[in-house]
């Protein structure tokens, strides 16, 4: 008979307020196989853990059930604790009576009853627990950072400075991301380019950093410590090994197409650098607008290039590299407001800009060299309306979340307009003003003192009247309708995850939240990890944030990567699938269903009657298996079983609940 | 004697005489004029016992599973349904194409309700075709059983299936004939599954019924043999029809066993899988 110890945690009052802990303990004592049951205020604390250890010693327990929070929270803590005892760390079951009981119920009697049942299930499963032993795998000491914005650059620099190799992957032809587009940054108004371009140069020149620009992730296999990532380098048509970046080709190219970097506010040639300070500072050809590549004629750049770098026959190339850790730093995009806000003109009026377009307009290296003028007629605006929360905090039309940075950059935009065009009237339409950050409230105050007029209320309609943009809305503080005849409107639109994040997240098996931001492993305690081992998060791919938070987040992710890569090998979970060969008929259902390609069919020698035959059976790669259990559900004969979650154990739980 | 039977006897005889095949599976007469049974022809003269008439209904492909490692290829007459059964078992890695000698016989439809939903009278895989293919007539309602059950209320469905499975005698004839039930060892034969009792009770019968349906699931070739062999005449096609109906309605045209390569819809993990429910 097993000797099970049951330990029920109060979690302060988190559990004890809703569950009668003492009753739960008393009922646990009656369960078959339970040799000891007790409770404590904080089971995860040092005295709580000591209590469990003492009980194991005193009562000779051979398996442990802890009724507490989710195993996601403290299963590892308690496993670590069991390492110092006679009990195998995998002879542990966690009954989740917090997230799945006390937090979601109010009726104490019923919640207690449920907690008792949950404990009963765990005890039944624990009776069938078997000792498991971890093995170890080597770690490839290289990291891949996906996304070359400020988050990716910061993470790459920190990892590289710690002495590990980093590949910094960016799908655009240059690193820099959104920060390179910005003009000044709140609240200190230091120039964005002046602080980000030196970091870009550092990243480009760092001996441990390899830049993979114009590259995209195509496929990934493997697991923490050993990701085999297939990367596609999109054709550049320029040989960067020889190119010096002299820029002659750009000046001669006859094509003029919309500049992505300036958000359509200016034109660029077909052979181009994303922006003058691009890293690498070498041009690429845009195959969609190049005359030679689309129509077969022109070829001017090839003629003018003094070094013969132009190669129209260049093709996309795929290559596979191994990395020990992955950092997602894929950033954000602005929501497409034109599709959502027909009442704002749906993008028909050229003098309505998004926040990022305004950043380019006001930027000294932008299309107007920093002069704030209307894109339609080049005149300076006399009245500017800034509309916040366009797509944010608007569940009916856009996103329900707050995009966090807009309040501050709206204030900054107002400040810049008032600074460059004194006497301009600036109206800011807002729902709330949120300024939680060092120096943020002071900056907002200063903007109001500078003369920005804050109007609390949403804009209901924007339409054109002559050369004015008429903004209708309500001042909810006055309770009156307001109408602003603006010359220019700036929409502070919502941040949304970058395009392509769905494919990338699915490839790595990383979860996304309802808004497609990448889900962190724990919102408070593991904010830079994902549920997939070895995949970390930096910056806005996890959710909207401003630059200081992004940089801090990226450095935190780098610290996690460094602590992983500093080890030469790591333990793997022994909770993986095993095949009972005699039952396996080799149908391959498990092979096809496995999301980690951990199962293959192998031929074995067998005997059927008097005959020696070869027949296929499933075989599990212990390094690749993540213990998801999909195969055990797919197997009709029950030939495949998940250690730690054997079919028999789950049945015991079901029986304990239902019988 | 019809021409087609003559061609079949000739083909079986030729195959056996050449020594290329160990034996040939077809249909033979029984003491009942309206029934046929599987016939295993080992000698050329056995071909004379071959029967081909409107009663040659039984599926014969499943017998291949009894001889997985034959010394010589096995000859089998294949109609549309038999060929889909063979594709099914090949896809499930149970039988090998090189062990088969398939004599294709386009079917003219039999006197059976289950043949009215047939979508492939002509064999889909064969080595030689004994006579010309003819188009398959427009099939009747593919989900005739499932539709009838779907129309009931939830309680009505429970009462319906309870009544059906209260009659089940757990002879497993449905499993024995089903080409999708091709596991090395079926879970119902294991002694300690923990969830399937051997006793004849409503709960254990229902568990068997629902487990059979899900194990066959998307791999059902819609031959209807499970119903034909059921000694209690239970309408169990309704279960697999429902699964196929759901798949067809959710993701578009899906049919199992039309070739030996296509994946089983529920059996693959794909990045493009629909996951709106998550």
């Amino acid at each position: 008979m097993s000797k099970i110890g049951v330990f029920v945690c109060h979690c302060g009052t988190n559990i004890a307020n809703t569950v009668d802990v003492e009753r739960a303990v008393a009922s646990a004592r009656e369960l078959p196989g339970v040799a000891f049951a007790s409770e404590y205020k904080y089971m995860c604390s040092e005295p709580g853990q000591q209590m469990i250890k003492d009980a194991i010693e005193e009562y000779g327990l051979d398996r442990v059930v802890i009724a507490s929070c989710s195993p996601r929270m403290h299963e590892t803590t308690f496993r670590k604790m069991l390492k110092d005892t006679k009990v195998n760390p995998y002879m542990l079951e966690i009954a989740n009576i917090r997230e799945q009981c006390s937090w979601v119920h109010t009726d104490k009697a019923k919640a207690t009853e449920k907690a008792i049942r949950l404990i009963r299930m765990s005890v039944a499963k624990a009776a069938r627990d078997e000792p498991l032993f971890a093995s170890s795998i080597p770690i490839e000491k290289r990291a891949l950072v996906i996304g070359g914005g400020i988050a990716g650059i910061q993470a790459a620099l920190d990892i590289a400075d710690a002495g590990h190799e980093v590949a910094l992957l960016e799908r655009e032809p240059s690193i820099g991301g959104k920060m390179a587009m910005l003009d000044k940054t709140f609240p200190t108004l230091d120039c964005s380019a002046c602080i980000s371009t030196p970091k870009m140069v550092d990243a480009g020149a760092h001996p441990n950093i390899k830049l993979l620009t114009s590259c995209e992730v195509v496929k990934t296999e493997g697991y923490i410590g050993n990701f085999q990532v297939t990367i596609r380098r999109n054709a550049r048509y320029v040989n960067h090994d020889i190119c010096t970046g002299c820029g002659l080709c750009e000046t001669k190219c006859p094509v003029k197409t919309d500049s992505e970097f300036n958000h359509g506010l200016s034109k660029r040639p077909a052979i181009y650098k994303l922006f003058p300070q691009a890293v690498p500072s070498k041009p690429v050809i845009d195959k969609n607008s190049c005359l030679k590549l689309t129509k077969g004629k022109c070829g001017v750049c090839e003629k003018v290039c003094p070094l013969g770098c132009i190669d129209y026959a260049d093709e996309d190339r795929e290559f596979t590299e191994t990395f020990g850790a992955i950092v997602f730093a894929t950033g954000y995009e602005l929501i497409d407001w034109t599709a959502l806000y027909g009442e704002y003109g749906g993008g028909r009026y050229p003098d309505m800009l998004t926040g990022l377009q305004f950043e380019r307009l006001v930027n000294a290296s932008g299309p107007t060299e920093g002069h704030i003028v209307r894109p339609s007629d080049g005149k300076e605006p006399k009245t500017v309306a800034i509309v916040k929360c366009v797509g944010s905090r608007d569940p009916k039309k856009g996103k329900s979340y707050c995009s966090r940075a807009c309040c501050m950059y709206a204030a900054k935009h107002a400040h810049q307009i008032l600074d460059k065009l004194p006497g301009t009237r600036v109206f800011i339409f807002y729902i709330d003003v949120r300024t939680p950050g060092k120096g943020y409230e002071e900056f907002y105050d200063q903007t109001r003192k500078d003369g920005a007029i804050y109007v609390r209320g949403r804009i209901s309609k924007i339409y054109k009247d002559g050369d004015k943009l008429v903004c209708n809305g309500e001042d909810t503080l006055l309770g009156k309708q307001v109408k602003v005849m603006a010359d220019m409107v700036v929409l502070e639109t919502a941040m949304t995850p970058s395009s392509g994040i769905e494919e990338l997240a699915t490839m790595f098996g990383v979860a996304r939240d309802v808004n497609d931001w990448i889900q962190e492993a724990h919102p408070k305690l593991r904010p830079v990890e994902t549920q997939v081992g070895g995949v970390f998060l930096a910056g806005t791919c996890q959710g909207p944030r401003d630059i200081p938070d992004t940089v801090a987040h990226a450095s935190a992710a780098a610290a996690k990567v460094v602590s992983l890569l500093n080890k030469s090998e790591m333990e793997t979970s022994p909770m993986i699938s095993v095949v009972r060969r005699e039952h396996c008929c080799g149908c391959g259902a498990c092979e096809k269903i496995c999301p980690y390609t951990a199962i293959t069919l192998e031929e074995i020698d067998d005997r059927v009657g008097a005959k020696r035959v070869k027949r296929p059976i499933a075989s599990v790669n212990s390094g690749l298996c993540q213990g998801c259990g999909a195969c055990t559900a797919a197997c009709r004969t029950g030939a495949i079983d998940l250690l730690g979650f054997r079919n028999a154990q789950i049945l015991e739980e079901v029986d304990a609940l239902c019988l | 004697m019809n021409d087609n039977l003559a061609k079949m006897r000739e083909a079986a005889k030729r195959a056996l005489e050449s020594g290329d095949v160990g034996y040939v599976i077809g249909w033979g007469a029984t003491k009942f004029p309206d029934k046929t049974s599987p016939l295993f022809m080992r000698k050329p003269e056995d071909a004379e016992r071959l029967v081909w008439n409107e009663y040659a209904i039984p599926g014969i492909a499943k017998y291949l599973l009894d001889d997985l490692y034959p010394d010589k290829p096995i000859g089998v007459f294949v109609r549309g349904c038999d060929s889909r059964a063979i594709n099914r078992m090949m896809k499930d890695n149970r039988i090998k194409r090189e062990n088969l000698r398939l004599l294709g016989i386009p079917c003219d439809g039999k006197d059976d309700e289950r043949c009215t939903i047939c979508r492939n009278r002509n064999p889909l895989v064969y080595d030689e075709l004994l006579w010309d293919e003819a188009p398959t007539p427009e099939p009747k309602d593919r989900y005739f059983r499932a539709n009838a059950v779907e129309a009931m209320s939830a309680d009505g469905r429970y009462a319906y299936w309870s009544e059906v499975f209260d009659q089940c005698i757990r002879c497993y004839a449905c499993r024995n004939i089903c080409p999708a039930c091709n596991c090395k060892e079926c879970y119902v034969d294991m002694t300690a599954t923990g969830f399937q009792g051997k006793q004849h009770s409503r709960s254990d019968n229902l568990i068997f019924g629902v487990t059979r349906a899900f194990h066959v699931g998307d791999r059902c070739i819609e031959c209807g043999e499970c119903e034909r062999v059921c000694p209690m005449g239970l309408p169990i096609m309704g279960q697999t029809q429902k699964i196929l109906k759901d798949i067809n309605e959710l993701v578009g045209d899906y049919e199992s066993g039309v070739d030996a390569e296509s994946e089983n819809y529920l059996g693959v993990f794909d990045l493009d899988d629909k996951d709106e429910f998550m």
Side-chain angles (χ1 to χ4, degrees):
Chain A
M1 191 72 180
S2 50
K3 287 184 139 188
I4 304 172
V6 179
F7 301 89
V8 185
C9 180
H10 292 235
C11 194
T13 53
N14 272 302
I15 292 171
N17 265 4
T18 327
V19 171
D20 183 343
V21 173
E22 262 139 50
R23 238 192 86 205
V25 169
S27 92
R29 283 201 187 103
E30 307 301 316
L31 295 171
V34 173
F36 177 77
S38 176
E39 30 91 18
Y40 188 67
K41 219 155 186 69
Y42 296 103
M43 211 50 95
C44 56
S45 67
E46 173 60 33
Q49 294 192 29
Q50 193 55 48
M51 193 186 101
I52 300 173
K53 286 189 206 169
D54 292 345
I56 290 171
E57 204 54 45
E58 191 176 343
Y59 298 94
L61 305 178
D62 62 357
R63 49 201 81 204
V64 171
V65 171
I66 297 171
S68 58
C69 50
S70 161
R72 282 250 167 259
M73 189 85 193
H74 277 311
E75 191 173 50
T76 351
T77 314
F78 292 122
R79 285 229 175 97
K80 223 175 263 172
M81 169 202 82
L82 288 177
K83 275 189 181 164
D84 304 336
T85 70
K86 290 175 198 157
V87 178
N88 180 285
Y90 293 89
M91 307 280 267
L92 163 77
E93 292 301 326
I94 307 273
N96 181 355
I97 60 167
R98 193 179 77 173
E99 284 85 342
Q100 292 177 356
C101 187
S102 70
W103 275 2
V104 288
H105 298 300
T106 45
D107 184 324
K108 192 163 183 175
K110 284 186 183 166
T112 306
E113 192 49 44
K114 179 170 172 182
I116 288 170
R117 282 168 172 241
L118 289 170
I119 293 168
R120 196 161 74 207
M121 285 168 72
S122 293
V123 168
K125 181 169 180 241
R128 291 243 187 178
D129 275 347
E130 55 202 338
L132 300 175
F133 300 93
S135 55
S136 61
I137 47 165
I139 289 175
E140 179 76 23
K141 290 177 175 287
R142 294 182 71 215
L144 171 66
V145 178
I146 304 172
I150 186 61
I153 292 171
Q154 183 66 41
L157 282 172
D158 287 352
I159 299 167
D161 284 343
H164 298 293
E165 279 180 43
V166 187
L168 178 56
L169 182 143
E170 167 60 53
R171 62 182 168 188
E172 295 295 333
S174 167
I175 58 170
K178 296 281 188 292
M179 187 172 171
M181 298 172 184
L182 306 184
D183 181 38
K184 288 181 174 171
T185 52
F186 60 80
T188 44
L189 291 175
D190 36 5
C191 143
S192 181
C194 317
I195 55 178
S196 71
T197 46
K199 273 197 185 291
M200 289 162 57
V201 173
D202 284 354
H206 202 293
N208 281 343
I209 298 180
K210 182 162 100 176
L211 289 189
L212 299 173
T213 51
S214 304
C215 284
E216 288 176 72
V217 176
V218 182
K219 199 177 86 177
T220 173
E221 284 175 356
Y223 44 89
I224 180 167
N226 268 297
F227 292 100
Q228 274 94 41
V229 184
T230 304
I231 296 165
R232 182 179 63 238
R233 162 163 287 149
N234 294 325
R236 291 165 167 158
Y237 307 102
V238 176
N239 185 341
H240 280 199
D241 293 338
I242 335 175
C243 175
T244 57
C246 70
L248 198 56
C249 48
E250 293 173 67
T251 58
K252 300 293 182 198
C253 178
V255 177
K256 291 281 169 277
T257 186
D258 279 347
S259 155
E260 300 88 346
F261 193 74
N262 285 335
H263 297 273
L265 292 176
S266 71
K267 301 285 180 190
R268 63 152 172 85
I271 184 163
Y272 71 111
K273 275 190 283 192
L274 200 56
F275 53 103
Q277 298 78 28
V279 173
S281 182
K282 292 167 187 183
V284 297
I285 296 180
D286 168 13
K287 67 176 173 190
N288 297 321
S289 58
C290 171
L291 292 174
K292 180 78 179 175
L293 293 168
T294 53
K295 301 201 174 101
K297 30 190 181 197
C298 182
V300 167
C301 49
E302 190 178 23
K303 284 178 206 125
V304 300
C305 178
L307 296 168
C309 309
I310 311 296
D311 173 14
Y312 296 117
D314 194 12
E315 284 178 344
D316 295 355
R317 267 185 301 127
E318 286 191 7
F319 53 97
T320 304
E321 292 192 9
T322 306
F323 300 98
I326 310 286
V327 178
F328 272 48
T330 51
Y332 71 96
E333 278 173 8
L334 293 184
I335 199 166
D336 181 13
W337 69 273
T338 57
L340 301 171
Y341 289 86
E343 66 269 38
Y344 291 179
R348 272 176 296 151
Y349 313 132
D351 296 331
M352 288 179 66
L353 306 173
T354 63
L356 276 180
Q357 283 178 318
F358 184 79
E359 290 289 344
R360 294 312 300 153
L361 189 70
V362 76
N363 194 305
S365 70
T368 59
E369 291 173 342
H371 298 296
I372 303 175
V373 291
R374 307 197 332 159
S376 64
D377 54 13
K379 287 185 194 156
E380 289 185 350
K382 298 270 177 274
T383 306
V384 179
I386 297 177
V387 185
K388 298 205 291 190
C389 302
V390 178
S392 310
R393 301 181 69 196
D394 190 356
K396 290 216 175 66
K397 298 206 145 239
K399 305 293 181 185
S400 52
Y401 54 78
C402 163
S403 292
R404 275 183 68 179
C406 336
C407 278
M408 285 309 295
Y409 72 71
K412 189 204 71 173
H413 290 163
H415 169 86
Q416 285 179 300
I417 297 166
L418 294 167
D419 182 46
K420 290 202 173 184
L421 304 172
T424 310
R425 295 199 307 161
V426 179
F427 295 90
I428 301 180
F429 290 90
Y430 70 100
I431 308 177
D432 295 295
V433 178
R434 296 177 170 180
T435 58
K438 208 170 172 181
Y440 288 11
E441 181 67 17
E442 294 86 332
F443 185 86
Y444 160 56
D445 267 347
Q446 186 57 46
T447 308
R448 279 193 306 174
K449 279 179 199 148
D450 291 346
I453 303 154
Y454 273 73
V455 184
R456 202 185 82 175
R458 273 183 191 272
I459 289 292
S460 58
K461 190 173 168 71
I462 300 176
Y463 59 95
K464 201 154 183 176
D465 185 4
D467 70 341
K468 295 280 182 191
L469 290 163
V470 186
C471 307
N472 281 344
E474 188 192 2
D475 185 328
T476 54
L477 294 179
L478 292 175
K480 280 188 178 158
Q481 296 294 318
V482 290
K483 182 182 270 189
V484 171
M485 308 288 276
D487 298 308
M488 182 191 270
V489 177
V490 181
L491 302 177
E492 311 295 21
T493 44
M495 292 190 198
T496 57
S498 283
S499 62
I501 193 69
E502 289 177 31
E503 292 80 11
L504 197 65
T506 318
M507 248 186 264
F508 282 94
V510 171
R512 288 171 279 134
D513 67 17
V514 287
N515 293 308
D516 279 341
W517 300 108
I518 304 288
Q519 185 73 49
E520 62 282 357
H522 188 282
K524 289 152 208 158
L525 300 181
R526 297 176 68 198
V528 297
E529 291 106 319
T530 65
Q531 297 292 9
V532 177
V535 180
F536 302 93
L537 297 175
T540 50
C541 62
Q542 187 225 3
R545 45 167 53 84
D546 56 19
I547 295 168
D549 284 3
T550 294
V551 172
H553 200 237
S555 287
K560 293 287 174 185
V561 171
V562 169
S563 70
L564 171 68
L565 298 188
N566 277 352
K567 296 177 202 152
S568 55
E569 53 181 30
M570 63 168 297
E571 277 195 353
T572 59
S573 167
M575 297 170 100
I576 57 168
S577 288
V578 285
V579 181
R580 283 193 295 169
R581 293 178 152 211
E582 66 279 16
H583 286 296
C584 176
C585 55
C587 72
C590 49
E591 181 191 21
K592 302 279 160 38
I593 208 95
C594 177
Y596 305 100
T597 58
I599 301 180
T600 45
L601 290 181
E602 80 177 318
E603 290 253 303
I604 57 157
D605 293 315
D606 204 356
R607 196 184 256 285
V608 172
K611 271 183 197 158
R612 286 183 181 283
V613 298
K614 284 198 182 297
R615 68 179 188 93
I617 63 155
S619 149
V620 179
N621 179 327
S622 58
L624 291 173
C625 178
Q626 301 289 306
C628 73
C631 51
T632 67
C635 183
R636 293 181 288 275
T637 45
I640 205 159
D641 225 349
L642 181 59
L643 294 177
F645 290 92
R646 284 190 182 272
N647 292 339
Q649 291 181 288
I650 292 171
L651 272 170
E652 288 289 349
E653 282 190 290
V654 175
D655 284 353
L657 181 69
C658 304
L659 296 183
Chain B
M1 193 167 70
N2 60 45
D3 285 353
N4 289 349
L5 176 58
K7 286 177 188 162
M8 287 169 70
R9 286 184 176 171
E10 177 55 33
K13 204 169 151 200
R14 211 178 334 116
L16 289 163
E17 273 171 351
S18 72
D20 292 342
V21 298
Y23 54 94
V24 178
I25 312 177
W27 295 267
T30 66
K31 60 183 173 181
F32 305 107
D34 62 343
K35 295 273 188 295
T36 58
S37 73
L39 177 70
F40 295 80
M41 294 161 272
R42 293 180 185 278
K43 298 190 286 288
E45 55 267 35
D46 291 345
E48 292 308 310
R49 291 163 54 204
L50 192 64
V51 169
W52 176 245
N53 54 28
E54 65 267 42
Y55 307 119
I57 298 172
I60 49 173
K62 184 71 188 282
Y63 296 100
L64 293 169
L65 219 53
D66 294 333
D67 194 2
L68 288 174
Y69 307 96
D71 297 323
K72 277 184 180 179
I74 305 167
V76 200
F77 286 105
V78 286
R79 301 161 298 180
C81 47
D82 302 307
S83 70
R84 285 178 66 181
I86 283 166
N87 279 334
R88 175 75 272 143
M89 292 187 284
M90 288 200 293
K91 172 69 195 161
D92 292 343
N93 279 337
R94 298 297 279 146
I95 55 174
K96 289 199 170 108
R97 185 69 179 88
E98 64 257 33
N99 289 336
L100 308 173
R101 176 97 183 111
L102 303 178
L103 307 167
I105 48 169
C107 180
D108 44 6
K110 304 294 176 192
D111 179 21
D112 192 295
E113 188 188 13
R114 290 163 285 272
C115 293
T116 62
I117 61 164
C118 178
R119 289 151 65 93
N120 306 92
R121 282 188 177 184
N122 299 310
L124 298 162
V125 56
Y126 53 81
D127 292 307
E128 61 178 299
L129 201 59
L130 299 192
W131 56 83
D132 290 342
E133 294 185 346
T136 305
E138 190 56 34
K140 295 235 172 75
D141 182 9
R142 186 178 176 187
Y143 312 115
F144 66 106
R145 291 253 190 269
N147 287 336
V149 184
E150 267 187 351
M152 301 173 191
S153 65
D155 288 342
R157 283 199 291 274
Y158 182 75
Y160 173 80
W161 288 119
S162 298
E163 197 190 322
V164 168
F165 281 99
D166 279 351
Q167 298 170 65
C168 173
I169 58 170
R170 305 281 290 283
C171 66
Y172 307 134
C174 52
R175 176 207 57 183
N176 293 349
I177 196 67
C178 178
C181 280
N182 54 33
C183 289
K184 190 161 164 274
E185 186 179 1
C186 178
Y187 87 99
V188 293
D189 295 329
M190 296 174 187
T191 48
T193 57
F195 64 96
Q196 177 71 73
K198 301 267 179 189
Q199 63 272 39
H200 183 273
S201 68
R202 177 179 287 183
S203 67
D204 281 307
N205 288 4
L206 282 171
I207 285 284
F208 166 65
V210 78
T211 311
R212 189 199 72 88
F214 274 98
H215 279 192
V216 175
D218 58 335
R219 299 179 309 124
C220 173
I221 62 158
E222 303 164 77
C223 61
E225 284 291 281
C226 47
E227 282 195 4
R228 186 187 61 78
V229 299
C230 180
M232 306 307 290
L234 303 179
I236 49 179
M237 273 181 91
Q239 298 177 304
T240 43
Q241 277 183 0
K242 170 66 177 155
I243 294 173
L244 289 172
K245 187 181 177 194
D246 286 350
I247 295 174
N248 275 274
E249 283 174 359
L250 284 170
V251 301
D253 197 32
Y254 173 80
E255 209 175 346
S256 154
V258 285
D259 59 60
E261 288 79 39
S262 306
E263 296 300 345
N264 310 323
Y265 178 70
L266 299 176
V268 282
F269 171 81
D270 192 330
L271 293 182
D272 299 325
D273 277 343
K274 292 196 166 190
D275 59 356
E276 292 91 348
F277 55 92
M278 287 175 88

